[in-house]
Amino acid sequence: MASEIVEKAKELFIGETVYVDEVAGSDEAGNGTQSAPFKSALKALEAKGESVKILVKKDEEGFKEISGAALKKAKKTLAEQQRKKQKQEEQKLKQDEELKKKAEEEAKALEYAKSVVLTEDTSLPKAEKIKIKQGVASRGKRVKVSGWVHRLRVQGKDMMFVIIRDGTGFLQCVLTGKLCHTFDAVTLTVESTITVYGVINALPEGKTAPDHHELVVDYWQLVGKAPGGDDAFNNKVTPDAEPSYLLDNRHLVLRGETASAVLKARAEVIKAFRAHYESRGYTEVTPPCMVQTQVEGGSTLFEFNYYGQTAYLTQSSQLYLETCLPSLGDVFCLAESYRAEKSHTRRHLSEYSHLEAEMAFISFDEMLEKLEDLICDVIERVLADEPTRKLIEQLNPDFKPPSRPFMRMKYADAIEYLKANDIKKDDGTFYEFGEDIPEAPERAMTDKINRPIFLTHFPHEIKAFYMQKSPEDRRVTESVDVLMPGVGEIVGGSMRMDNREELLEAYKREGIDPAPYYWYTDQRKYGTSPHGGYGLGVERFLAWLLNRYTVRDCQLYPRFTGRCTP
Ligand code: 4AD
């Protein structure tokens, strides 16, 4: 009893006894009792105050009172820690005060900005509404231009450089003085829409801006404000974002300089294709996309319910083009084709733009020449147009137009090439005559040869039912794939069977019911002719020309396995 009282008195005088086990204790989980000791004396002081009695266990020997030196060291460290903490707290307080002051100042400035109102100076000449591409021709006159804020640079309180974009180009606008003081000016964000008024002046040598000029703004209006903060455009669309995130946000990605350059180049390339066909006397037709026949095998058909009947999205307009020859002569079309592709590769889409042409009374060699003419002429046309040449240079600075003639290589020789170059199947064996050459070896060969190749004369077993057999070797067809470095196949074409009996045989061989194809078969009944044609995948052509990694970058809103949005 007496000893308990002495202990209690000691505790009151010296403070509580705290246990520290340097081996098995824990500063996080312990509470300083003998059964749950702390790990460090520092923690003991921190938790229980400086007047505690500390018993320390270092080894098997059990708890002993802390040494004077160790206690001094722990107290010193604690004091340092407390000093640091206090300093941090003081700093934080100061920072918070500064932030508060800044926020108050900003709020005041915004309040003031709300009172700044711009009015158009009616003594100035009336501004003429122009698109940015008319800028050079409109220099010196007062103009009015509307667009999206592409980039924004604030220089002090009295100067802002705003680059606007309207789809026809980019224009640097300079805002000074009061023009920078309105609420809309101080809160302006990238992707907001504005209308600016003023005069476009050429820039002196040494200064850079799009078209080497800038619009000196005398009046402007906000049309629609885009969000700032986390939702700001530049926080939403970042180049290092996941591809699927970027595809979900394709509507915003399209505003970027690369994506919009691809789409502009695409429009120009399509224009050039049409101009080529126009100059060579072809007629453009518009075949249906909803069909009840297949062209390129049943396995890639997209099926749908057409008023209770089975119908498909077209794989190719070829069969319809063939029916146009007797009335329109050589024809072409640019239509969407659909493939329920199982292959998830960078060159396969589920919907793609298919440029197809069909020509009557030609030989296979003539068809190859026409194909070569198409590709080379279109490249010449796009390069001859200065803005398009610049777009190609921006996207694919190393592009060199292909030289004629393209290399011609028979399928049988490709099989030998693969063997000679040790290009094998996954199982380590070589490809043999009669086997399909898949994408990987085809690409390996094309990249190695590094020039356009007309790969011809494929065995009929691996090609579509309608292909004409070669008169010299009945095992193979008069068929061609155009292979381009970096992409592989961009065109598939052939001469078509022009003999009715042979075609009926081919339907049978492929297990195709000839009944729904009566209109196609009839071409061989009502005045047959040697004829042939091809289909070019526009996105693959663009991936080659613009050096894009995937065809998905060459479509407005790509459709491929698993993606049908936005
Ligand atoms: O080789 P394909 O399947 O040929 C035809 O459809 C023929 N009926 C064309 C014709 O002779 N009129 O396809 C032709 C081209 C391919 O070379 C390729 O460029 C493109 O169409 N293509 C695709 N492009 C993107 N994604 C896909 N899933 C494609 N499938 C074919």
Side-chain angles (χ1 to χ4, degrees), residues 295-296 315-319 321-322 337-341 343 347-358 463-464 466-467 480-482 488-494 496 532-541 551 559:
V295 190
E296 298 297 326
Q315 295 170 308
S316 157
S317 301
Q318 176 201 320
L319 308 194
L321 291 189
E322 288 184 50
S337 276
Y338 302 86
R339 306 276 171 110
E341 293 285 359
S343 19
R347 71 176 201 193
H348 282 96
L349 294 162
S350 304
E351 172 175 356
Y352 69 96
S353 297
H354 204 171
L355 182 80
E356 295 182 271
E358 202 65 30
K463 282 291 179 186
Y466 53 75
M467 290 192 182
V480 60
D481 279 0
V482 181
E489 181 198 331
I490 64 158
V491 178
S494 76
R496 324 300 191 188
Y534 53 80
L536 175 146
V538 173
E539 290 78 11
R540 290 198 188 173
F541 182 85
V551 288
R559 296 287 179 257

Side-chain angles (χ1 to χ4, degrees), residues 289-339:
C289 279
M290 295 190 275
V291 300
Q292 289 192 306
T293 46
Q294 55 140 302
V295 190
E296 298 297 326
S299 71
T300 60
L301 284 173
F302 272 112
E303 199 179 298
F304 68 99
N305 181 326
Y306 189 77
Y307 305 111
Q309 287 188 359
T310 300
Y312 313 106
L313 295 176
T314 189
Q315 295 170 308
S316 157
S317 301
Q318 176 201 320
L319 308 194
Y320 295 110
L321 291 189
E322 288 184 50
T323 69
C324 297
L325 295 175
S327 53
L328 302 175
D330 296 346
V331 281
F332 80 97
C333 72
L334 175 58
E336 295 295 281
S337 276
Y338 302 86
R339 306 276 171 110

Side-chain angles (χ1 to χ4, degrees), residues 232-284:
F233 181 83
N234 289 340
N235 290 331
K236 262 185 106 91
V237 182
T238 53
D240 54 348
E242 283 284 300
S244 75
Y245 172 87
L246 289 176
L247 283 165
D248 287 342
N249 288 285
R250 181 90 177 140
H251 59 298
L252 300 178
V253 170
L254 293 177
R255 300 177 179 209
E257 283 171 31
T258 304
S260 57
V262 171
L263 289 184
K264 276 200 179 139
R266 178 186 164 111
E268 293 305 322
V269 165
I270 287 174
K271 219 191 273 176
F273 275 127
R274 286 210 160 92
H276 167 85
Y277 286 122
E278 168 83 36
S279 71
R280 305 302 194 260
Y282 289 61
T283 301
E284 181 169 1

